[in-house]
Amino acid sequence: MQDIEAVRAALRAQRIETPSWAYGNSGTRFKVFAQEGVPRDPYEKIADAARVHALTGVAPLVSLHIPWDRVDDYAHLAAHAHEHGVRIGAINANVFQDDAYRLGSVTNPDARVRRKAVHHLLTCVDVLDATGSRDLKLWFADGTNYPGQGDIATRQGYLAEALAEVYARLGADQRILLEYKLFEPAFYMTDVPDWGTAYAHCLELGPRAVVCVDTGHHAPGTNIEFIVAFLLSRGRLGAFDFNSRFYADDDLMVGAADPFQLFRIMHEVVRGGGLDPAAGVNFMLDQCHNIEPKIPAQIRSVANVQEATAKALLVDAEELAAAQRAGDVLAANAVLMDAYATDVRPLLRELREEQGLAPDPVAAYHASGYAERICAERVGGTQAGWGA
Ligand code: LRH
Ligand code: MN
């Protein structure tokens, strides 16, 4: 049986990073439904993220996306975050929305466009310096829509050149999180389509280049926990972009579409020592709340990660290893299913109460009047969004 005190300690020490863009308006190509009370600037986004942390106790970090979160003074924004009890986490570069990037950013056939893209990536490292953040997250929309449109090997060369230049600019404690994605917006070939390509580029770059696993970026049926176990065993699992999906990159609440998959992923994280801060795994959410209220959705998502983590921590590792060594297929599977079938909500409610938090953070949010307050205050100005 697992040492329940160790389980509680691990859950108390869990740290989840929420994305600034989840608090702004988002949608699909069909429609972006604006919602009342949505932030108008990064300061208000951080205030909302701080509310999520205040109610869950485990979400003290906020990811920024540049230029969506561009401000004149990033150190001032970091101080604002600090005043609200949170810190600025990963900085996301954006080389997928400028008109110049129609045929790609760092892999564009036009050297001037590649230059422009690399320049943006380097300015994002300046933001890391200003906010004191560790992680620069790089996701490239780069790809092609038709066979023959681009030369795959040439583009990989351009990509490696750009990554090497950014890597050389990093400070001693800064990292590149290289995120992969199978498709969209490119529909024939994506230049960083899978974990293997990301891993290969990271090996070429150096030890401070690690892979970001976005749970919505795989082909249907992909065993994501295998990727997690492999990257963790090689010290190259840098981060998660947690969300869930039924079909493609749906960016739904993590654990909503497939809570069993999230449990299996967290089981490999726990088994591989990934919960230990020394492992350097950044647990981030990357979601869009297109139709649901954003702050309670973020709170629910954080709780979903906590629940999957608690179940994974309850896996009887010794019993599992013994059954695996014995080749006892059913017994080994049963160990995992027993943990998964455990209702961990009472344990999490207790932990929250011990930390002086409400047992049900979503209910506490609704009772707090925060939603009504921001709807009343945030009148006028331009609501934040993807600017797409
Ligand atoms: C791309 C992605 C990436 C972010 C964006 C908001 O699909 O997952 O992580 O830049 O979403
Ligand atoms: Mn992502």
Side-chain angles (χ1 to χ4, degrees), residues 21 137 139 179 212 214 217 241 243 251 286:
W21 55 96
K137 194 173 89 176
W139 169 69
E179 182 179 0
C212 174
D214 184 313
H217 286 188
D241 264 6
N243 50 62
D251 281 339
D286 179 5

